[in-house]
Amino acid sequence: MLKVLVIDDETVVRRGIVLGVDWAAMGCVVVGEAANGQEGLLAVERYSPNLIITDVRMPKMDGIEMLQELRRRRCRAHVILLTAYSDFEYVKSIFQHGAVDYILKPTLNQQELLATLCKAAGQIPDF
């Protein structure tokens, strides 16, 4: 079963992701949630997720800083970043830091989320 961690400072977005997907039907389980990058780092240590869905802009530590720190710590979890920025250079930097995909907010919808999750899950060994 694929372990998923959801990190977003907007409670409504985070809960929407957690409650809006039939995780079990996808062979996944949400193992934890966090409201910022610092909490996210602790949650990664605690839950060892295979997939992290995280916002880019958060207080205390943003998603890209958290992703950089995860890679320094040799965390191999796949990461999907949620962002409101569609600028090419910004999106390019997301991939340069090891994200497998991104989803634009606030247009986040269940179909797009499911397609992105399937894509990411297909890249995870033994899934």
Side-chain angles (χ1 to χ4, degrees), residues 11-28:
T11 303
V12 69
V13 172
R14 190 174 66 244
R15 297 305 299 156
I17 293 169
V18 171
L19 300 174
V21 174
D22 185 353
W23 294 102
M26 294 184 60
C28 301

Side-chain angles (χ1 to χ4, degrees), residues 2 26 28 49-52 71 76-81 94-95 97-102 114-127:
L2 185 70
M26 294 184 60
C28 301
N50 308 95
L51 179 64
I52 300 167
R71 296 308 182 228
R76 299 177 60 89
H78 283 62
V79 177
I80 296 171
L81 286 165
I94 288 171
F95 289 114
H97 289 94
V100 295
D101 211 339
Y102 73 99
L114 290 174
T116 305
L117 289 170
C118 288
K119 176 183 171 184
Q123 295 177 16
I124 297 173
D126 301 323
F127 183 74

Side-chain angles (χ1 to χ4, degrees), residues 4-60:
V4 179
L5 175 64
V6 180
I7 308 166
D8 197 303
D9 61 317
E10 296 179 60
T11 303
V12 69
V13 172
R14 190 174 66 244
R15 297 305 299 156
I17 293 169
V18 171
L19 300 174
V21 174
D22 185 353
W23 294 102
M26 294 184 60
C28 301
V29 61
V30 176
V31 294
E33 299 177 46
N36 62 60
Q38 288 178 345
E39 288 179 16
L41 288 174
L42 295 173
V44 168
E45 288 179 16
R46 181 175 183 184
Y47 300 114
S48 299
N50 308 95
L51 179 64
I52 300 167
I53 300 171
T54 184
D55 192 6
V56 171
R57 297 282 184 204
M58 297 180 288
K60 299 185 182 181

